[in-house]
Amino acid sequence: MIQVSPSGKFLAVGHASGSWQATLYDLEQKELLKTILHVRATSSVQFTPKEEILVSRSEEEIIFTSIKNSQQIAVIKIGHGSKIAIHPDGRYLLADGEGKSKLAIIDLNTQKVVKVLSTAALDRTAWMASAQRGEGETSFSPNEMIFKMDFSPDGQWLICAMDRGVRVFEWNEVLSSKSELPLPIVASSSEIIAVGDGASRMATTYDIAFDWQRNVILSCGLEGKIKSLDLATGESKVLLELPGRPAMIQLDLSRDLATFCTHSIRDMFERKEEWFVQIWNYLGLA
């Protein structure tokens, strides 16, 4: 996991494979500023908008580090999860938990958990009937699962990639909710596909990116397609289908909104999986 600060001055790297730490670099001075030790692999790193704090996360903890003096500010024990997102105003941090079915809202001023919201509950009876017809997923989760969170640049919308698809929430409604996420204002569905030997069916949207000029959300997932979701109309369409439809687990849109990069896995559920990165002309597709 790699993250560049908003100004481009700092770089944060989250390490795994036995190197359970995050590192903070000053790109202008070309020096390592801080090594942050974690109890597990570092799954997410993000800078606050004014580049005052680096937030790094492992499975069991979130660490807040001052960029000014490279000192640790606080540690929150958050439980099982891997994703974080910081609101553009710098006040709140979001973190998933409990098998991706919970969303914790943390006040960055106090480093305290304000509330924990559940994702939408799913109907077991409806799932079983769909699975028996050979239409739905072959495994059941009692709640929708969060795979990625992000905000629109103005902070008005919370955008989530979930196993069931893309969900867009009004941020003020999320803040005022007591125990569950509100209904999304716009949504699109993941495609259910056969995996492995074909006996299992799954659906997952892994990543999202926001095109603020066109007011469009790009998404990718298990179906091997790049999709767009228009926030104004709710229209969802396919922009790109990769040959062979490998699972796409990561999507990044360039700052000038001219290109995007995808990270894909061919034969994801086989022993000889193949990982590859591709860069695409977004202007030619949009």
Side-chain angles (χ1 to χ4, degrees), residues 45-247:
V45 287
Q46 284 201 18
F47 295 90
T48 53
K50 295 182 180 179
E51 302 183 358
E52 297 170 334
I53 299 172
L54 171 64
V55 182
S56 53
R57 178 172 192 186
S58 69
E59 181 179 314
E60 298 180 8
E61 64 187 4
I62 298 175
I63 297 179
F64 302 87
T65 303
S66 168
I67 295 176
K68 182 178 180 179
N69 59 25
S70 299
Q71 297 301 307
Q72 181 175 294
I73 298 173
V75 180
I76 294 180
K77 299 295 184 180
I78 198 69
H80 181 67
S82 61
K83 304 300 182 182
I84 55 176
I86 297 175
H87 191 272
D89 70 6
R91 175 68 186 276
Y92 293 105
L93 168 74
L94 303 185
D96 69 318
E98 292 191 28
K100 305 181 186 297
S101 66
K102 299 287 187 179
L103 182 68
I105 302 178
I106 300 162
D107 190 322
L108 281 168
N109 292 339
T110 62
Q111 293 88 47
K112 302 293 184 182
V113 177
V114 175
K115 64 178 69 177
V116 179
L117 304 176
S118 298
T119 60
L122 302 176
D123 188 320
R124 180 181 288 274
T125 301
W127 162 78
M128 186 173 294
S130 178
Q132 288 174 345
R133 292 193 303 268
E135 299 172 354
E137 297 174 80
T138 49
S139 62
F140 177 75
S141 171
N143 293 77
E144 288 193 337
M145 295 185 290
I146 301 171
F147 283 83
K148 180 67 177 292
M149 302 167 290
D150 202 359
F151 287 97
S152 59
D154 61 5
Q156 183 178 2
W157 315 115
L158 168 62
I159 308 165
C160 295
M162 295 184 165
D163 55 333
R164 295 299 179 101
V166 177
R167 307 287 185 260
V168 183
F169 304 95
E170 165 65 55
W171 173 238
N172 287 333
E173 290 186 3
V174 175
L175 270 181
S176 62
S177 297
K178 297 184 182 303
S179 59
E180 300 176 350
L181 280 171
L183 292 174
I185 59 163
V186 180
S188 66
S189 298
S190 302
E191 182 178 337
I192 298 173
I193 66 167
V195 298
D197 58 4
S200 298
R201 296 183 300 275
M202 296 176 61
T204 304
T205 297
Y206 286 115
D207 206 355
I208 45 176
F210 186 65
D211 177 351
W212 52 269
Q213 284 187 342
R214 297 172 181 82
N215 209 28
V216 163
I217 299 164
L218 304 183
S219 64
C220 68
L222 197 57
E223 62 264 44
K225 300 175 181 178
I226 295 292
K227 297 179 179 179
S228 68
L229 174 62
D230 192 308
L231 274 180
T233 66
E235 179 189 7
S236 177
K237 62 181 181 180
V238 176
L239 290 184
L240 175 68
E241 180 177 319
L242 269 64
R245 295 176 59 177

Side-chain angles (χ1 to χ4, degrees), residues 234-278:
E235 179 189 7
S236 177
K237 62 181 181 180
V238 176
L239 290 184
L240 175 68
E241 180 177 319
L242 269 64
R245 295 176 59 177
M248 280 187 278
I249 62 171
Q250 192 170 352
L251 167 67
D252 290 292
L253 189 58
S254 62
R255 292 187 178 184
D256 63 1
L257 305 180
T259 60
F260 64 84
C261 174
T262 57
H263 184 188
S264 305
I265 307 177
R266 186 176 288 113
D267 299 324
M268 185 174 180
F269 298 95
E270 304 296 333
R271 290 186 176 182
K272 294 183 179 181
E273 59 186 22
E274 179 186 355
W275 299 60
F276 57 99
V277 173
Q278 294 171 296

